[in-house]
Amino acid sequence: MSQTVFAPWNDPDEKPLIRFQNVTKKFGEFVAIDDLSLDIYAQEFFALLGPSGCGKTTMMRMLAGFESPTSGRIELAGQDIAPVPPNKRAVNMMFQSYALFPHLSVWDNIAFGLRRDKMSKDAIEARVAEMLKLTRLEKFARRKPHQISGGQRQRVALARSLAKAPKLLLLDEPLGALDKKLRQDTQFELMDIQESTGTTFVIVTHDQEEAMTVASRVAVMDEGRVIQVATPAEIYEAPNSVYVADFIGDVNIIEARTKAVGEDKYHLDWAEGQAPLTAASAKSFSADQKAHLAIRPEKIRISTERPEDAPNALQGKVLDIAYLGNLSTYHVELPGGQVIKAQTANTRRIARRDITWEDPVWISWSATAGVLLAE
Amino acid sequence: MRRFALIAVPYLWLLALFLVPFLIVFKISLSDTALAIPPYTPTIKDGISALIAELDFENFTFLASDDLYWKAYLSSLRIALISTILTLIVGYPIAYGMARAPEEWRATLMMLVILPFWTSFLIRVYAWMGILSNEGLLNQLLMWTGVVAEPLQILNTNTAVYIGIVYTYLPFMILPIYAALDRLDESLNEAAEDLGCSRMQAFWLVTIPLSRNGIVAGSFLVFIPALGEFVIPSLLGGSGTLMIGKVLWEEFFNNRDWPVASAVAVILLLILIIPIILFQRNQQKQAEAEQ
């Protein structure tokens, strides 16, 4: 089976659609964006992920033209966009508040941008009809924004920003105002629309699940800097720092000192009087270097008997059980007081669960289950 | 029950101080002038049947036949309309500036708009006489800077009346427009720009339509009192300034013709009812739109 994987970021000949070059943005003394460089490729669904105040919205507003960088250069398709005002950029934005014009109908909202382009009446009508169909809003064309539901408003905002067929669509927390179920449905809709229109999407979100679901690549940001840019799977499986590992999903962090034992293999001294842990790492660590072992809870097995083949096995006591329906997370307290989370799928009915509170248990994981991080 | 009492108080107040006086004025407008105290006939002393028998619409037909009166009405309408437009032109940018000012400044700016109300309206109009007269501050300044050689005749002209009305009623224009602009989401303008509008286009296509209710409310709040304005035209206007408020005053105090004066007042009220109803409908529509 041959399939071309969409990964323009791995192709050195590919020209990025957007290029941030050493961009810094200051508001007074406050540094919102700190010497940031980033490439985004055409047709990507790119997510800027980070806690509030990390600078992700500022990046988006610089792309839209509402802010200009204090220093550095932003290119769109090879052109420096600093001198281009927002109304002349082939970039459209979907606002967090949707910013629908309350005095105009759904139809007129979608036609708003097209009218500015001096398109013919017929062309506008055809394009609006196409957008209404794409977002399944045909029935609501004559309504005013306050006469439709939140989910419909979100689709109007999307239709309006897509109507001008921009090179780049910016989405600022587009699903923030929707409830969870609707949000999940809409995520898939967004992906479908992104694929069918072939537009490059840049989405800003603080919801890591959302970023993982929709994006081709995710940039994890903190305090005006990009910490890691990678595909969702890489971000999750191979975070480059404790910050990223901790920000995305649930993780156990074990602090230890390294000792090389053979190629790419390390022994970790993590607590006095305890046998060292074994971990594989492609990144090299010097002897007795401080390191953090990050392991996802679902990669840790929990059992009542000591597993025979596991390179890492520790005994502890069940402190707490978080029952999530499909999954259960066990909080296991080690003799040193450290709590490790282990997650298992609930393949059996809950009545047949053989581990309960205060039970002595064994937790175990393989050498490759965790990631060894320097910082 | 308590709610009823709460509503009853203002309604009784309006009944006693608006409806009853209006009925008295209406009755006088149907009477004839007489050399007596009070200066009209018939009065309630003549008995109810004689009273009703002698009332007629003579004064209203007189108003229609003498062109002084309808010219005064038309002139008032014109002056009120022009001053409303001028107040809007002056007031809108002020309201816009206030709404766009930093959050911490807005309360202060609002205070400054309301501040003139702390001084009597009459004193402020007198102060304008001091500014606009031939030897007034404005002319002194203009002559000192050499802009004009002779003092400008501003006081006692329609120009002075416009200045007076715009000055006096400006806060009534600013406040409703400010309220509308203050609620306007800044991202709407950004969205308009994002979709290809220049700043100016965004202003006309988004800001103006969305502050329409404020503009309409402010315009009525200026137009309605300006139409019957008496103090400003009589203090700042000249003999050529014809406004119905002044005519009314002269009928009452110079001609001592209470019945005709009352008829003038009744017609003025009828003219005012139209914009008041329109104003009410605007307020109602706005309330509905916000639900």
Side-chain angles (χ1 to χ4, degrees), chain A residues 32-36 54-55 220-228:
Chain A
I33 300 292
D34 190 3
D35 191 27
L36 182 148
C54 72
V220 181
M221 293 185 65
D222 186 37
E223 293 182 342
R225 276 171 316 208
V226 166
I227 310 291
Q228 187 173 12

Side-chain angles (χ1 to χ4, degrees), chain A residues 5 13 29 115 124 137 164 217 300 363:
Chain A
V5 182
D13 296 333
E29 285 297 293
R115 291 211 168 109
I124 291 176
L137 285 165
K164 294 185 79 170
R217 278 196 308 160
I300 299 181
I363 53 173

Side-chain angles (χ1 to χ4, degrees), chain A residues 123 127 140 149 180 183-184 203 219 235 338 348 354 362:
Chain A
R127 183 68 180 159
F140 307 100
S149 73
K180 193 169 179 195
R183 197 158 64 211
Q184 284 172 347
I203 186 174
I235 291 262
Q338 195 172 10
R348 295 197 209 170
D354 53 358
W362 284 90

